[in-house]
Amino acid sequence: MRFLVRDRLLGFGDDYWIEDEHGSKVFLVDGKAMRLRDTFEIKDTRGRVLIDIHQKMFSLRDTMVIERDGDTLATIRRKRLSLLRNHYRVSLTDGTELDVSGKILDREFAVEYDGELLAVISRRWLHVRETYGVDVVRDDADPALLIAVAVCVIHLAEKEREGD
């Protein structure tokens, strides 16, 4: 499954549609303005909230939290001892971890679980400006969760770059 994400998605207070490879609207990303922390919601086409994303308050390192129905699914932060600056850890509540690495700011990275590829995020195979693709490789993977991971990692990398 391939999804197209508009890069301006990271603007708070704005809403953006994520489309499938056929151009059909699949998910709405609703950026919440006027909040103390960075907040997004990923909704289905009927407006039902599938995923809540927010910045964790009072953490030592920038951390994003992904929730579904009020329950935490995952926390995302940059790996502490990584020599690669673009390396993030997604800690799922079941105790497993996803590994995100690559050129985050260039929108060229991968999401893996235990060495197995789950999704590839890339601009390479797209001709639409300011758009990147999320190619979900495994059929049993949760597309909304993987899109949320991509949104969080890009947001954290952008914030880190602004802080430099």
Side-chain angles (χ1 to χ4, degrees), residues 7 21 50 67 85 111 117 128:
D7 220 7
E21 57 194 313
L50 303 174
E67 295 179 346
R85 188 169 165 176
V111 180
L117 187 64
V128 181

Side-chain angles (χ1 to χ4, degrees), residues 66 73-77 88-92 96-100 111 145 149 153:
I66 298 173
L73 286 177
T75 56
I76 301 174
R77 62 180 55 96
Y88 290 81
R89 173 178 291 131
V90 180
S91 300
L92 302 172
T96 60
E97 291 184 348
L98 304 180
D99 188 55
V100 181
V111 180
L145 176 61
V149 166
V153 168

